[in-house]
Every structure is written in C-alpha cells, then in structure tokens.
C-alpha cells in the first residue's frame, strides 16, 4: 500500500473510534479526527491518485466527516435499539476499511526491485516510420508501418529526477489487454500509478565510448514494458536495451498523434502464429479466423512481417548512433555487439530474426517454440532458451487452462531440435515450477498470482532472479567475452532448481563473435 493510503485508513479508524467511543468523544482533539482523515484523502488524491480499491474507504471518510459536523451519531442514549444500531454502524465501517485494505494489497501499486548493476537507468522513446513497408494491421492498408521504440540505457549514477511511468499509455493499453484477456478493465486501473527506476532523458554515462545493444520483443497481446524487471537489470549492468512495440503483436500501440492500433485477439494469434510451428496433418481443420487483410495482401507470414521490424530497427539505430535528436545516445551504441531476446511470440520472432540477420550476434528465446523454418535452417549465432518442462506446462493447464497437449509437444520438441542443431554455443535452461507469466512482470501484479493460477508455484521474485542471472550471463559471455561459471553444465551455483544443458561453448578467446554467422535464406 502507498503512504497516503495507509495514512487514510489509519485516520479513518481513529475517526471512527472517536465517534463511537464516548470517552474519546470528550477529548479536545476529537472534532479534528474526521477532518484529518479528509485531509489525508485529499492529499492521497493529489499526490498518489485515486483508485477503485479504495472506494469503500473514500465513502467512509466522507460519512465520518459529515457525521462529525452534524453530530448525527448519538452515543449518549443507551437504549437497546440504539446500541444495536451503533454496533451495526461500527461493523459496517470496519468492513469497509477491511475491504479497501484487502483490495489494495491484492492489487497493489507495486514496486520493481532496484536494479543491481553499477549504473542508474535512463529511458527515451522514439517514433519511427518505415516508409518502405505498408501497415498490415491498420484499417487503412495504404498507411506506412510505424513503430514505437523505447530505449533504456546506462545513466550517470548521480542522476536524479522523477521516475518513468510503467505504462505511459496505461488507459489504452490496459483497455485492450483486458478486452483480449476477457477481464474487466477496471481491475488493471492501478497500473497507471506504477513507476519504474528509469529516469526519462537522464544523462547517459560518459566514461565508456559505447555499450552493447539488446533488442527486446514483447509477447502476443503484451506491451513493450512487459519485462521491465529484466530490461532495467540489463541496462544497469551496461547494456542499451531497445524494446520494439510492434503493432499487431501488442495489445495496443499508441502513437504521438493519438492514433492507436490494437492487436489481434487470442484466436487471431492462434490462426496466424500457430502454423509457423504446429504440425498440420491432412486431417487438420481449416482456420476459422481470417488472416488480417494486410498480411494476406502482402503474401507474408506474421512471423516474417514482425521480423522485418527488427531489421528496420537495426537500421534506425545506426542512424541514431550517428545523431540522436535527443542528444543522449550519439556514439553510445556498439552496433558490432548486438543481441536480441523475446518472450513467447517475441521469442519466435527473435529466432526468425536471428536466422535472417547477421548483425544479431546472440539470441535469447524465453518460453517460446521455434518456427519450423528456423528449425530447418538452423541458427548460427550463440543461442539460449529459457523455458520450463512439459509437466510445468501441464500444471498451468490444470490451474489456468490453455496449453493443449499438441501445443506442449510442439513447444518442447521444436526448442530441443533447434538447440541440438546449433553448430556452435548453445544453452538450454529449464526451470520447473514456472508458468508463462513468470517470465514477465505480470507475475508481480498481484501477490495472489500463484494462488489464482496466473503464476506458477515458484514465486515471481525467484523466477525473475533466475531469468536475470542467466540472461545477463549469456550476453556477458557472447557479447562482452566474459566467462561465467553459471553457464557451465553441471555447475549448480546459486540456483539448484535450474536444469542447464550446454553444447560446444567456444573458447574464451573466440567469445563475442561467431565467425560462422551469416544471413539465412
């Protein structure tokens, strides 16, 4: 709970006691108690913002304030009827306070753990238009493809200032997310108040000439900030992280002129993404969901289309490194050391992007199957998969639904095939007890995530620590040439629950660049 929320509930409790206990009513300060509660309510509104979880407390504050002015609660008379009315009033008020306190703890304005690296974190957002491609997910298919791209970077340690909002376009994003997930939109309203550790436009670190670059791709129906815990961790350890908000894949992308492009629903993703990795036999039913007209018009798959965003972004980053209009990142991007990572759909697209783009030198795919095209052609870069075992997926199905057996089979076998086909370094990391949302911030949205089946038995804190440790170790090794015992097969280290397999790791002298890397077909 936030500071003024706790102060408001405490003040309400004191004001209620003053009105209901005759001894307290005789105290000199008793007339101020309800006014103090009202003042805290006003401060909470101005400083922190109102939210629906506190509605019962707001109503009680107003009732106590009016009651204190009108002296409408009479405790002097001691008739039986009056005593019962007083007890019912007290019980009702306590229930209202309990409801607000409980709801605020179930859906808190949560805080991200502080990044552990030596750098502070700055962030900037860019709007880039790809004039060479049309937008496949807009109503007007003649419009050009444009992207919102957010960049997190190492900032000066002594930088200070307001922290960036978690979701700057919270109203649009949460409305689209709720619609796709078939949930009431109001339950996500508190996300508009969540802040991060990043500082908008903070001065970049000046002691190094450049930093390695990592591209992050969101999952289906997600948003570019959905792995903030991981992004801020990597940025604090000396990486520039570039998150691409991909229209069609994201729940909603909001552009500076107010336009919005909402993403496909779950059935749409199943129809458009599933064929890229799910085997279709002669008896498979035809898709009942039409492919978006823009994709059909261009004659391309959604995976290929989204991978083209990665190529375009790399070109834009080269221009940004020459002259950043914000004056922060000019010369700071080491584009000879570029990696990519993604979750779910983002992981599938990362695989396809790495197959096609030699500028990507290290590829991390989290809880994502691998497309048949990538399995067939193979990946030449050092690659890591972080996922869970089939039984954890079945447990998620029992608790929360989804994950049919064909999906689980394709998920496990495609990753295994891609891993075993690597000509160079590869890592296969399985973490039992994790559900799909454990790889994202969503597991932190409520402390009941594991109880209600949103997250797995493993708590989000432990899950995020594991993902951060292995993703940083992977990129440190293959972009910065830093050996890591964490990546040695058979090394237990601080995470004994992790099942790690590794194959053909290169000697330390060859870390960072795979000489076999090249453009795929």
């Amino acid at each position: 709970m936030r500071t003024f929320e706790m102060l408001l509930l405490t003040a309400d409790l004191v004001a209620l006691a003053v009105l209901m206990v005759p001894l307290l009513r005789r105290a000199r300060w008793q007339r101020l108690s309800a006014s103090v509660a009202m003042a805290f309510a006003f401060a909470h509104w101005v400083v922190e913002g109102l939210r629906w979880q506190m509605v019962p407390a707001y109503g009680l504050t107003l009732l106590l304030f009016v009651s204190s002015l009108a002296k409408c609660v009479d405790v002097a008379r001691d008739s039986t009827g009056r005593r019962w009315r007083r007890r019912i009033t007290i019980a009702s008020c306590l229930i209202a306070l309990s409801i607000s306190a409980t709801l605020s703890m179930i859906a808190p304005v949560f805080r991200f753990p502080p990044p552990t690296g030596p750098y502070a974190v700055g962030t900037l957002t860019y709007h880039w238009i790809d004039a060479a491609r049309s937008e496949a997910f807009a109503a007007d298919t003649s419009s050009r493809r444009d992207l919102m791209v957010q960049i997190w970077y190492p900032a000066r340690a002594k930088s200070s200032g307001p922290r960036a909002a978690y979701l700057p376009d919270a109203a649009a994003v949460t409305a689209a997310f709720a619609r796709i997930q078939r949930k009431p939109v109001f339950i996500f309203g508190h996300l508009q108040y969540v802040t991060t550790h990043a500082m908008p436009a903070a001065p970049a670190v000046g002691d190094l000439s450049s930093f390695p670059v990592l591209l992050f791709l969101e999952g289906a129906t997600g948003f570019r900030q959905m792995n903030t815990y991981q992004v801020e961790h990597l940025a604090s350890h000396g990486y520039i992280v570039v998150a691409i908000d991909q229209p069609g894949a994201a729940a909603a992308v909001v552009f500076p002129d107010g336009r919005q492009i909402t993403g496909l629903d779950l059935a749409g993703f199943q129809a458009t993404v599933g064929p890229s990795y799910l085997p279709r036999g002669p008896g498979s039913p035809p898709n009942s969901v039409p492919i978006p007209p823009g994709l059909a018009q261009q004659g391309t798959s959604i995976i290929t289309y989204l991978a083209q965003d990665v190529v375009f972004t790399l070109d834009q980053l080269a221009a940004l490194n020459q002259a950043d209009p914000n004056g922060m990142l000019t010369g700071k991007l080491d584009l000879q050391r570029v990696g990519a990572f993604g979750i779910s759909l983002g992981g599938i697209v990362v695989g396809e992007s790495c197959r096609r783009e030699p500028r990507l030198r290290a590829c991390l795919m989290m809880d994502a199957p691998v497309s048949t095209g990538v399995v067939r052609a193979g990946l030449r870069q050092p690659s890591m998969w972080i996922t869970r075992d089939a039984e954890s997926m079945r447990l998620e199905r029992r608790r929360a639904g989804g994950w049919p057996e064909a999906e689980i089979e394709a998920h496990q076998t495609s990753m295994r095939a891609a891993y075993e086909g690597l000509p160079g370094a590869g890592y296969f990391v399985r973490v039992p007890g994790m559900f799909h949302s454990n790889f994202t911030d969503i597991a932190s949205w409520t402390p009941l995530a594991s109880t209600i089946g949103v997250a797995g038995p493993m708590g989000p804190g432990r899950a995020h620590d594991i993902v951060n440790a292995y993703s940083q170790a992977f990129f440190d090794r293959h972009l910065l040439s830093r050996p890591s015992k964490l990546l040695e097969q058979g090394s237990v280290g601080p995470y004994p629950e992790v099942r790690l397999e590794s194959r053909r790791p290169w000697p330390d002298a060859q870390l960072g660049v795979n000489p076999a890397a090249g453009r795929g077909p």
Side-chain angles (χ1 to χ4, degrees):
M1 295 179 64
R2 296 177 292 176
T3 301
F4 281 106
E5 289 175 354
M6 292 188 289
L7 290 174
L8 173 58
L9 292 177
T10 302
D12 278 344
L13 192 60
V14 171
L16 177 62
V18 165
L19 284 175
M20 295 301 173
V21 179
L23 181 62
L24 294 178
R25 283 176 61 89
R26 291 195 289 269
R28 293 182 179 180
W29 49 266
Q30 59 88 14
R31 293 184 180 180
L32 298 176
S33 59
S35 298
V36 170
M38 201 69 178
F40 281 142
F42 181 77
H44 160 64
W45 173 38
V46 172
V47 176
E48 296 175 335
L50 305 178
R51 62 188 186 118
W52 66 268
Q53 291 89 341
M54 294 291 292
V55 167
Y58 302 151
L60 178 59
T61 303
L62 182 61
L63 175 64
L64 291 173
F65 182 71
V66 173
S67 297
S68 70
L69 294 179
K71 298 182 180 180
C72 61
V73 179
D74 185 0
V75 297
R77 298 173 62 184
D78 199 29
S79 65
T80 300
R82 182 68 67 180
R83 285 199 303 271
W84 276 106
R85 254 183 288 173
R86 186 167 66 248
R87 292 169 183 170
I88 292 173
T89 301
I90 293 173
S92 299
C93 293
L94 290 175
I95 289 172
L97 286 176
S98 299
I99 290 173
S100 280
T102 301
L103 290 176
S104 296
M105 289 185 287
I106 290 175
V109 179
F110 65 93
R111 296 178 182 272
F112 289 98
T116 59
Y119 302 110
V121 180
T123 187
L124 291 164
T125 302
Y126 298 84
H127 175 214
W128 292 335
I129 301 175
D130 186 353
R133 289 194 298 149
S134 61
E135 176 54 68
F137 296 95
D140 180 8
T141 55
S142 65
S143 60
R144 299 294 90 188
R145 177 72 167 174
D146 48 354
L147 306 173
M148 296 303 298
V149 175
Q150 187 166 354
I151 300 179
W152 291 261
Y153 55 90
R156 296 176 187 171
K158 294 183 179 180
S159 299
S160 61
R163 267 36 185 182
Y166 178 42
L167 294 178
D169 302 306
V173 172
T174 56
F177 184 80
R179 175 184 58 80
I180 293 169
Q181 300 296 328
R182 299 179 182 177
K183 299 291 191 297
V185 66
F186 71 87
I187 68 175
F188 303 115
H190 63 289
L191 295 179
Q192 66 181 303
Y193 300 121
V194 176
T195 56
T196 67
H197 295 283
M199 294 169 287
V205 171
D207 59 346
L208 294 175
S209 58
S210 61
F211 297 92
V213 177
L214 302 175
L215 274 61
F216 171 69
L217 301 183
E218 67 214 350
T221 76
F223 41 93
R224 66 179 184 263
Q225 304 93 346
M226 67 187 299
N227 278 49
T228 292
Y229 80 91
Q230 185 181 19
V231 164
E232 290 192 335
H233 173 85
L234 291 167
S236 77
H237 283 273
Y239 290 92
I240 293 177
V241 185
V242 181
I244 309 172
D245 226 354
Q246 297 184 283
V253 180
V254 182
F255 298 103
D257 60 3
R259 288 181 301 116
Q260 295 183 28
I261 296 181
T262 56
L264 299 176
D265 59 17
L266 297 178
F269 279 113
Q270 185 177 14
T272 56
V273 178
S276 71
Y277 62 91
L278 285 171
R280 292 186 59 84
S284 300
N287 286 327
S288 59
V289 179
I291 294 176
L295 287 178
Q297 185 180 41
Q298 296 183 36
T300 187
S301 72
I302 187 173
I303 303 302
T304 301
Y305 184 79
L306 295 176
Q308 291 168 350
D309 290 338
V310 174
V311 177
F312 170 71
T313 298
L314 287 170
D315 294 339
Q316 291 297 112
L317 290 175
L320 185 72
N321 202 38
Q322 293 295 319
D324 178 11
N326 292 295
M328 296 293 179
L329 300 178
T330 302
K332 294 297 181 183
L333 290 81
D334 185 348
L335 297 176
Q336 298 303 310
R337 295 183 291 176
V338 182
F341 65 108
I343 169 69
S344 193
L345 172 62
I348 302 175
V349 178
V350 164
E352 177 66 18
S353 301
C354 288
R355 180 176 78 91
R356 293 176 172 272
E357 180 52 73
R359 288 177 289 181
L360 297 175
R361 300 299 180 90
C363 309
L364 168 60
M365 291 139 285
M366 298 183 294
D367 209 39
V370 181
S371 69
T372 53
V374 171
V375 172
R376 185 168 51 248
L379 294 174
R380 298 175 177 86
Q381 301 95 329
S383 299
M384 172 181 277
W385 286 264
I386 305 179
T387 186
R388 62 267 178 67
D389 57 0
E391 188 49 44
S392 294
M393 299 179 77
R394 294 186 183 105
L395 177 62
E396 182 173 357
R397 179 177 63 198
R398 291 194 294 272
R399 292 189 178 181
W403 299 108
E405 198 62 27
E407 182 84 22
I408 295 174
E409 178 69 15
H411 189 103
Q412 297 290 331
T413 58
S414 64
M415 288 188 300
R416 172 65 64 181
Y419 164 72
E420 293 182 350
L422 291 171
Y427 309 89
F428 200 73
V429 182
R430 287 177 295 165
V431 191
M434 288 179 67
F435 285 3
H436 200 54
S437 71
N438 279 112
F439 294 88
T440 72
D441 299 333
I442 296 173
S444 300
W445 287 3
T446 171
L448 297 182
S450 294
T451 304
I452 62 179
V454 171
M458 178 178 289
R462 182 66 173 178
H464 292 171
D465 286 346
I466 290 172
V467 171
N468 283 343
Y470 279 88
S471 56
Q472 181 189 344
F474 172 67
F475 289 123
D476 279 357
R477 179 165 185 139
H478 293 287
L479 295 181
L480 294 174
S481 301
R482 295 175 182 169
S484 170
K485 289 186 177 180
L486 194 65
L487 300 183
E488 294 179 4
Q489 187 169 355
S491 175
V492 175
Y495 307 107
E497 62 268 65
V498 172
R499 302 172 186 173
L500 169 67
E501 299 175 51
S502 61
R503 57 188 290 111
R504 291 191 285 273
W506 296 322
D508 294 345
Q510 296 179 15
L511 296 179
V513 177
N514 182 351
R519 186 179 298 275

